[in-house]
Structures are given as structure tokens and as C-alpha cells.
Amino acid sequence: MPELVLELNGRTWTLDPSRSYTLGRDPQGDLVVEDARVSWRHATLSRDGGVWVLEDHGSTNGTYARGQRVRRLEVGADSVVHLGNAVDGPRLVFSAQAPSPTAAAAGAAAAPQVSGGEPVARPRHAGPGWGQPAPQPQGAVPRQGGAPAQGDHRSPTTFHRLSLGRVMRIGRALENDLVVSDLQVSRHHAEFRATPDGRFEIRDLGSHNGTYVNGQPLPKSGSALIGPDDTVGIGHSAFRVVGDRLEEFVDTGEVTFSARHLTVKVDGGKVILDDVTFGVPEKSLVAVIGPSGSGKSTLLRALTGYRPADVGEVLYDNRDLYKQFAELRQRIGLVPQDDILHKELTIRTALRYAARLRFPGDVAEAERDKRIEEVLAELKLDIHANKRITSLSGGQRKRVSVALELLTKPSLIFLDEPTSGLDPGMDRDVMKLLRELADDGRTVLVVTHSVAELGLCDRVLVMAPGGGVAYFGPPEEALNFFGYESWADVFSAFENYRDYDWKGRWLGSQHYRLYAAELDAAAPQARPLPGGPSAPPTSRPPKPQSWGSQLWTLTRRYATVIASDKGFLALMVILPVILGAVGAVIPNEHGLRANPNPAGFNQLAGAILLVLAVGMCLAGAANSVRELVKERVIYERERATGLSRSAYLMSKVIVLGLITAFQGVVLCAIGLSARELPDEGLFLPTAVELCLGIIAFGFTSMMFGLVISSLVKTSEMTMPLLVGFAIVQLVFTGVLFQVFDAPGIEQIAWLMPSRWAMGVLGATVDLSHTMAPWDRENPTNLDPLWEHSAGVWAVDMAVLLAIGVVCGIAVARLLRRHEPEVMRK
């Protein structure tokens, strides 16, 4: 039988029937295809029963034949298969005509060919030097822009020809001239245009995640002229114009990462992170360990841009993270110590809401669900996908947190204490997971207290007391470096010799010269290009979803979380029932009417309204007082990925406002049902008017609860403040004692929502004349906020609601404290 010949990107291979071939980006594979759309281990080509079979291994972007996605396909002469994209993905062409010996020899010796729009491919054994850093010219300065410059260690993934007058449209849709298979890219994202004068222009087409020039976002639908020193970032791809061609660099995850001279000081000039320098190679797992107070958490926040260092720089593949955070934040995953999950949801539901928030608005639900299923399968969570997160073990919950970050395919992943509180078996499982993530083409850095599984790491960074580096290098050499037999001895030495110069010992060591000295020497050269990353941002970073879309998603998610919490639902119903019943048991034969006896007054009318109002105050504030502090870690992470602060806050206000309104209706229905009420209100029936006042007070109290929740550090601190808030409101209602015409006290009462709430209720039932006047000798000296008039009622209600709005503005400002510091500037 004729032999089958495979042609891929200008290279040919005669297939050996006695063996199988693996295809993918894995350098250890048989046929290596360096294209971002091709999975690490994409497919296998093997002989089966006399025919050749190509089998897809669940690749992310698929394998296609005749425009259709296939899982298993018999191939023979004249078969054509595309990897990663049905139209322009890397193409495999099969034929039955074996090449001549001369052609075969020429093909074996030929260098990989590159043509317009085609990927760079290479056989497994391409010979020495493939993929190695190109020699740097003397005096060359590493670029701080997006894609690497000439002479750097990155080679373009693809070349595209540009001609004068031509417009090249870029996007995710197949009808674009340059298709980018990346869910972070909009369907029609941007376009390159060659101007008649020989210059080139990049124009954003209203993309969701933005188009970046030298790391800075273009205004939505804006444009900019670009030159050979400029880099355009779109999703995980970067583009650079070289002559008449467009070079594309796809971030496939194999990135370097380094920190240079990071120093952090706190108030008073105290140094808590001291001149930290280290570099992380591609596809590596690095552990950061050290005693308490050595600056590990501070280092993590400096490395992620959440709290930039006061001195030094962080380089993501030779790009300044702080100056280009708006673009690079999409390529960085962060798993905090506390789970960034709503534990009441199932795994699949939690990931679906996260995908809606993180992916562009034009990504279809089917595309999002496909990516979710891929991540679930990769982390072996598919069999648990419909379980509630609360029912999972600690190790499984950490996997879900990692899965959430993997949705957007980050190249760099940070984890803070992922094994905290786990038993040794789960500790090992989590560290093995991180090892697999690194092997699959990502760079992983984990801060941990556990030292049992350090052998799985490529490097270990040991922090010393005072925030300096005590060691950086292979974990197997660390104990020998310190001269101890166990890590317990090393940590004891840190504690016993806190004044010892651990950093100086490291700087004078051979390990420093091997693993960090080169970074120190290169640091002075690592500077931004003129007009490049150092230029100020042209506009705010765009958000992947519109404000309205984010609000709708956040509102639905919050409602789902509450609906899944049976305990909260029960409390939401029981609390107003109890409080309403308390108001109903107060004996009063006249209800809220004035005493018909001219000589008497209905003193208990004020007491009834006071109980109902303070009860609603307590219910409204209790609804919200924990809601922000318990989600603080979730908010901080989502804010870094493009969450709108105002949409987040508004979703809380809408859902909690509806709950509070429901409770107000229940409270009034029970508390006022058996009472005699005045025949008419000022605008509406008396019961409706009183209910509106109660609900408005509950809403403002709910907003005060959000203020408390945004101020406190832990949920435990909220309860004492809630009780204190309710007591203060009780005192300043004006029912217990005379508040008006009391210098000092009256002015303080103006700041209390209870004062204006009782004004609304008192104006409805004419409380000034129903209750006995405070000054019997001057009975005409009445509380002006209780005057039975439409104007007074409207003013009382307006001020009450205005206090709630002011509280909302205060919460929005306070939320800024809990988001990445680099985003506040």
C-alpha cells in the first residue's frame, strides 16, 4: 500500500505505520504546532485496522474537516484537516505519494517556513537552538512595550501582509480578515489601516475589553497612529508593524515573570518589604515561604498590582505590570486565601455567573458554557458540577476557585495560602494540581506555609524577617544552603536570630550569583521607551460588559444566592412578623386616633409608631450589615477584572431594597391591622401612607447598614454596631423626650433618619395633637416635623430618602479602599 504523507506548513513527513504521532503545542510532542489556537496535547494520529485515524483529545478549539468539528476521523489521500479553527487554523494535508529522497532530504534540512496568516510549526527534533533566545546586540535595551522587539527571545506567531489603502479587520468572528480565537476578543474588535502617506492606524471598533497601544487603552471607538516602536494589544495577542507586514505575538501562557528591587514602606517609613529581586522562568511553579511577618502577603499584593511597591518594578514577560495593568490584568489569575465564591451556589452556576461578568458582552451563552465545561473537565470537577460549593471538601473548593480564574486562560496565576486548613492529603492534591497547571504552559506562584510538597516546585523563594530575601533557587538545595536538616530548624533560626543579616548572607552567596544577580545587573536597563508605557492612560480601561448588563447579572446572582440560603429566607420572614406582633400587643383603645375626650390625649399612639419604626430600622439594617464585608474578597477580585463599582452597589440596593419593602409591608400589616386609624391621610389612605413611611425608614436604615459593612474589617464587628445604631435611632425619634427647641440635641437629631421617619409618620396621624404637648404651659409649642400638612410630610420624606442617598454615595467611596490600588489612580 502507498505510504501516507503529511504536509504541515510547508514541511512533509512520511508516516510510519508502526507508531503513533502526537500533535499539539507540547514541545515533547511528535508534531509541534506553535499556534495559540492549538491545544497543548491536541490530537493523536495513529494506524487502526489498516487505516490512519486522527483523534481529537478534547481540544479547546477543536479539529475540523470540511468545515465540521470532528472527534475521530479516518484520513487518507487528499484529506485536509484544520486545527483550532475551521477556516484558517493550521492545516494538515494528507497524500499517498511519498516524496522523493531528494525532496525528503531537502524538507528535513529546511527551516520552518512562514507565510501570510500561517502559523509557525516545527517537528519534535528540530535541532539545537530552536526556540532559544536570539543573541542580543551589544547595548540592546529590553523593550517595555507589548510584544518583544527584534532581537528578543520571542518569535512572531504569525505574519500578515499590509498594503497601502487596505483595511485589516481583527476580531473573533470568522468574517474578519484576521481571526483571533480568543473569548476575550470581541466579534469585531479593531482594524488596522495603512494610510496613503505610508503610516499605519489602529482603530477600536467599540470592543468590550478594549484595544491597547503600549499598554494604554484607546478610547472606545477611538484610533491612534502607530509606528515600529509601538505595540498593539488585543486580548491575548500583541501586534507590531515591521515594514509592510504585521507581526502577531500570541500569549500562549509561556511567559517569564520577574520582580526587581521591590520595596514597600508603611506609615512612618517602616520597611516591610526590603529590596526583593527574583525571576520566574516559563512554565514553572514557584513557592514563597517564610515566617509570619516576613512580608509574604505584602509581596503578593505588590506582584499582582493590588498594592504596587513604593520602589522597584514588576515585569510580565518584560512588560511593566504597574504601567500596563489595564491590559495585563486579563492575563493574570489570583486565588486569594479566602474562597472567591458564593458558597450557596452550585459549581456550574457560580462559574456561569463569573463567565457572564468576565467575558465580552458579545460572547454567546453556548461559547461561555463550552469554556466552562472545558475548565471543569481539566480540573476534574465535571462530576461535581451540580453540587453546592458548601458541600465540597476544602481541596475541592480550592479547585473551584482555580477553575474560576482559568475561565479567561490566564498565563500567570498567583495563589495565597491555598492549602491553609487542609489535611496533608489535600495539601498534596492541591500542590499536584498547581504542578499540572505549570506543566500545561502556565507560570504559577504560590504563597504557602506548608513545606511538605516543596519538591514539586521548580523554585522556592524564602522570605526572612524584615521582608528581605533569604534564599531563591531550587527547593532541593535550600536546606543545604541554610545548613539545617529540616525546615522546622530553618524557621526556628529565623525566630531565634531575627537580627541576623539573612539578606546579606543571600547577596553574598553563590546561589544569588546563579539565580538573581543577572536580574540585578539588568535592572537599570529595564526602563520604558519614550512615549511608550510611561505615557499617561488616554482613557479608563473598558469593562467587558456594559453597565446595564453587569447590573442585570449581579442582581440575578445576588437574588440566586439569597434564594439558596434557606436560613436567611426564614429570618427575612420571621423577623418582621415578630416585630409587628410586638407593636400589636401594646394595648390602646384609641389606636392611632386622637382621644375624642377634649381633656385627654392618646399618649400610646407615639409608642406604637415608635415600636414599628425602630423595628423596621433594625430589620433594614440587619439585612445589609454583613453583605459587603462577607463578599469583600470576591469584590476585590472581580473589581480587578473589570467589575463596575456602581453596578455592584446598585445590585445590592435593588435586591435588599425589595426585601426591605416586603418586610415593611408585613410589619405594617401585622402591627396596624387591629388598630383604629385616622379616616384620611394627607395623600393616600392612612395605612398606605404609614406603610410608605415605614418602608422609607427601612430603606435608609438598610443604607446605613451598608455603610457599616463597608467600614468594618470582619463580620463579627457588625453586630455591636448594629445594636448601637438601633439604640441611637430610638433615642432621637422625638417620642421619648422633647427634641425640638433643644439646642445641640436638635441639630444632632437632624442627622438621624429616625427623626425624619417619625416626622413622616407623625405628620400622617397628626401626632402633635394626638400626644400631649411637652410644654403643658405652652401647648401651642409643637414639634414642627409632626405638623399635619402635605408640605411638612413631603419635606420629612425627602430628607429621609436623601440621607439614604448620601449613605449610598459614602458606600461607593468606601468601596474604593477594597480594590486594587493601581486602579484608583
Side-chain angles (χ1 to χ4, degrees):
M1 295 180 63
E3 295 177 316
L4 191 65
V5 176
L6 167 64
E7 180 182 352
L8 171 63
N9 199 42
R11 299 293 308 280
T12 57
W13 290 266
T14 302
L15 301 180
D16 183 355
S18 65
R19 56 162 300 185
S20 61
Y21 297 83
T22 60
L23 296 88
R25 296 195 339 265
D26 186 357
Q28 302 303 314
D30 299 295
L31 299 172
V32 182
V33 186
E34 294 182 342
D35 188 291
R37 296 167 292 184
V38 177
S39 295
W40 193 252
R41 299 175 182 90
H42 194 103
T44 299
L45 185 63
S46 60
R47 190 85 165 179
D48 184 9
V51 296
W52 283 95
V53 175
L54 182 68
E55 184 172 1
D56 187 285
H57 290 313
S59 62
T60 300
N61 294 316
T63 302
Y64 299 87
R66 295 180 295 277
Q68 301 296 318
R69 185 163 184 168
V70 296
R71 291 287 184 184
R72 180 180 172 88
L73 176 70
E74 293 185 5
V75 295
D78 301 325
S79 294
V80 178
V81 177
H82 288 272
L83 305 179
N85 187 285
V87 178
D88 66 346
R91 187 175 65 169
L92 311 179
V93 179
F94 297 89
S95 64
Q97 181 179 359
S100 65
T102 302
Q113 300 296 312
V114 181
S115 59
E118 291 293 333
V120 179
R122 61 184 174 90
R124 178 177 179 180
H125 304 291
W130 183 277
Q132 298 298 316
Q136 291 275 5
Q138 289 189 347
V141 177
R143 290 189 82 237
Q144 292 291 304
Q150 291 179 338
D152 208 335
H153 69 289
R154 298 281 181 229
S155 298
T157 307
T158 313
F159 296 143
H160 306 276
R161 296 293 178 184
L162 291 173
S163 56
L164 295 181
R166 181 189 174 189
V167 176
M168 178 179 289
R169 179 163 292 190
I170 302 174
R172 205 175 68 250
L174 295 179
E175 60 265 25
N176 288 284
D177 302 292
L178 200 165
V179 179
V180 181
S181 300
D182 181 355
L183 291 184
Q184 296 286 59
V185 176
S186 298
R187 290 182 57 82
H188 301 96
H189 195 106
E191 63 183 21
F192 278 99
R193 182 188 303 270
T195 61
D197 59 0
R199 294 189 295 177
F200 296 92
E201 179 187 47
I202 178 67
R203 178 180 297 276
D204 183 81
L205 298 178
S207 63
H208 293 271
N209 274 334
T211 303
Y212 298 82
V213 177
N214 297 323
Q216 304 303 330
L218 285 178
K220 201 161 190 174
S221 301
S223 63
L225 292 174
I226 57 173
D229 291 331
D230 295 317
T231 300
V232 176
I234 296 176
H236 285 80
S237 297
F239 301 88
R240 187 164 57 90
V241 175
V242 178
D244 62 347
R245 70 184 184 185
L246 184 67
E247 295 183 347
E248 179 181 6
F249 302 79
V250 179
D251 186 343
T252 59
E254 300 176 7
V255 299
T256 59
F257 183 77
S258 62
R260 297 177 177 176
H261 303 295
L262 296 186
T263 301
V264 175
K265 299 178 181 180
V266 293
D267 295 339
K270 181 182 177 181
V271 176
I272 58 175
L273 197 65
D274 186 11
D275 197 22
V276 174
T277 297
F278 67 96
V280 180
E282 299 176 359
K283 296 172 54 179
S284 60
L285 172 60
V286 178
V288 180
I289 63 173
S292 298
S294 59
K296 299 187 300 296
S297 296
T298 302
L299 174 63
L300 183 65
R301 296 182 71 83
L303 295 177
T304 56
Y306 276 50
R307 198 292 188 188
D310 300 307
V311 178
E313 59 186 358
V314 177
L315 300 181
Y316 174 101
D317 225 25
N318 210 33
R319 303 176 63 181
D320 193 312
L321 176 65
Y322 296 160
K323 295 176 180 176
Q324 304 189 35
F325 184 81
E327 178 186 355
L328 296 179
R329 64 180 180 173
Q330 304 292 348
R331 307 188 193 183
I332 296 176
L334 173 63
V335 180
Q337 182 174 351
D338 297 326
D339 292 328
I340 47 177
L341 306 161
H342 291 91
K343 299 179 182 179
E344 299 83 3
L345 304 178
T346 65
I347 297 176
R348 182 174 279 115
T349 301
L351 293 182
R352 280 177 175 169
Y353 281 119
R356 289 192 184 103
L357 290 172
R358 297 194 180 194
F359 287 133
D362 61 358
V363 174
E365 183 176 359
E367 294 178 286
R368 293 196 301 264
D369 288 344
K370 175 186 172 184
R371 179 57 189 156
I372 290 170
E373 297 306 318
E374 291 169 353
V375 171
L376 290 173
E378 181 180 359
L379 298 182
K380 300 178 179 60
L381 289 170
D382 42 354
I383 60 175
H384 306 292
N386 293 319
K387 293 182 180 179
R388 286 193 179 184
I389 297 173
T390 51
S391 67
L392 303 177
S393 67
Q396 290 172 331
R397 284 202 301 271
K398 196 58 64 176
R399 280 180 176 264
V400 179
S401 294
V402 174
L404 190 149
E405 292 301 310
L406 291 185
L407 288 174
T408 54
K409 298 184 179 180
S411 302
L412 183 62
I413 302 177
F414 294 94
L415 300 99
D416 187 11
E417 299 286 356
T419 61
S420 178
L422 303 183
D423 61 49
M426 290 184 179
D427 180 1
R428 179 178 56 193
D429 290 343
V430 171
M431 292 301 292
K432 284 185 176 179
L433 167 65
L434 303 184
R435 178 70 265 170
E436 292 171 1
L437 293 176
D439 291 339
D440 200 31
R442 303 176 182 94
T443 301
V444 183
L445 189 145
V446 54
V447 174
T448 180
H449 276 109
S450 175
V451 296
E453 304 299 331
L454 290 181
L456 295 173
C457 301
D458 300 292
R459 296 283 189 272
V460 60
L461 174 66
V462 183
M463 300 295 292
V469 176
Y471 172 82
F472 178 72
E476 61 272 14
E477 300 176 17
L479 289 177
N480 183 59
F481 172 84
F482 288 108
Y484 292 100
E485 295 183 356
S486 70
W487 283 107
D489 295 332
V490 174
F491 279 67
S492 295
F494 284 146
E495 181 63 29
N496 296 331
Y497 306 103
R498 298 188 70 87
D499 294 332
Y500 181 75
D501 188 8
W502 296 101
K503 174 186 169 185
R505 182 176 184 270
W506 156 248
L507 293 176
S509 68
Q510 178 66 22
H511 283 78
Y512 167 76
R513 290 189 287 274
L514 285 173
Y515 301 113
E518 184 177 350
L519 286 173
D520 270 350
Q525 293 183 335
R527 58 182 184 272
L529 291 176
S534 60
T538 55
S539 64
R540 289 188 177 187
K543 296 177 175 59
Q545 299 278 341
S546 66
W547 189 89
S549 178
Q550 284 197 15
L551 176 62
W552 174 239
T553 299
L554 290 166
T555 303
R556 288 177 58 196
R557 183 179 70 177
Y558 190 34
T560 304
V561 169
I562 290 178
S564 302
D565 190 344
K566 306 303 181 185
F568 182 83
L569 287 176
L571 180 63
M572 179 185 72
V573 176
I574 293 174
L575 184 60
V577 171
I578 294 175
L579 295 174
V582 170
V585 299
I586 300 176
N588 185 12
E589 59 178 319
H590 301 299
L592 298 180
R593 290 176 178 268
N595 193 332
N597 185 347
F601 294 97
N602 185 358
Q603 201 68 16
L604 288 178
I608 294 171
L609 293 177
L610 175 67
V611 170
L612 295 179
V614 174
M616 190 69 251
C617 167
L618 184 63
N623 288 338
S624 61
V625 75
R626 290 177 180 264
E627 293 308 296
L628 297 182
V629 65
K630 75 178 184 181
E631 289 187 2
R632 185 159 295 165
V633 177
I634 298 175
Y635 171 76
E636 186 178 64
R637 181 67 194 120
E638 291 185 340
R639 178 67 176 142
T641 61
L643 179 72
S644 167
R645 184 194 311 130
S646 58
Y648 174 79
L649 177 57
M650 187 57 67
S651 70
K652 298 291 185 187
V653 172
I654 290 174
V655 176
L656 292 174
L658 291 174
I659 292 174
T660 302
F662 166 78
Q663 291 177 321
V665 171
V666 173
L667 181 72
C668 291
I670 297 175
L672 300 176
S673 60
R675 302 292 184 187
E676 292 188 25
L677 304 176
D679 295 331
E680 295 181 358
L682 294 168
F683 300 96
L684 301 166
T686 303
V688 175
E689 208 165 278
L690 289 173
C691 189
L692 288 177
I694 292 291
I695 291 174
F697 188 29
F699 171 81
T700 302
S701 300
M702 178 200 79
M703 299 304 294
F704 258 100
L706 290 177
V707 172
I708 294 173
S709 191
S710 63
L711 284 171
V712 298
K713 294 183 178 180
T714 64
S715 295
E716 290 73 17
M717 298 173 64
T718 59
M719 287 300 102
L721 293 175
L722 173 63
V723 174
F725 171 70
I727 291 176
V728 170
Q729 299 311 303
L730 172 66
V731 170
F732 286 98
T733 55
V735 175
L736 299 180
F737 61 93
Q738 180 177 336
V739 172
F740 67 96
D741 284 345
I745 295 178
E746 182 178 20
Q747 286 69 38
I748 294 175
W750 290 343
L751 303 176
M752 303 299 165
S754 62
R755 173 69 173 136
W756 301 97
M758 283 304 302
V760 172
L761 303 178
T764 295
V765 301
D766 194 13
L767 201 59
S768 292
H769 296 92
T770 302
M771 288 179 58
W774 295 108
D775 187 357
R776 296 297 182 95
E777 296 181 358
N778 185 13
T780 61
N781 186 21
L782 304 176
D783 194 327
L785 299 189
W786 293 356
E787 181 183 338
H788 187 61
S789 72
V792 171
W793 188 95
V795 170
D796 291 341
M797 178 66 81
V799 175
L800 177 61
L801 294 176
I803 293 175
V805 172
V806 170
C807 288
I809 296 172
V811 174
R813 299 297 297 175
L814 290 170
L815 281 175
R816 294 181 72 249
R817 303 184 309 159
H818 308 299
E819 57 193 48
E821 185 173 318
V822 74
M823 295 186 67
R824 305 179 208 166
K825 300 180 179 179

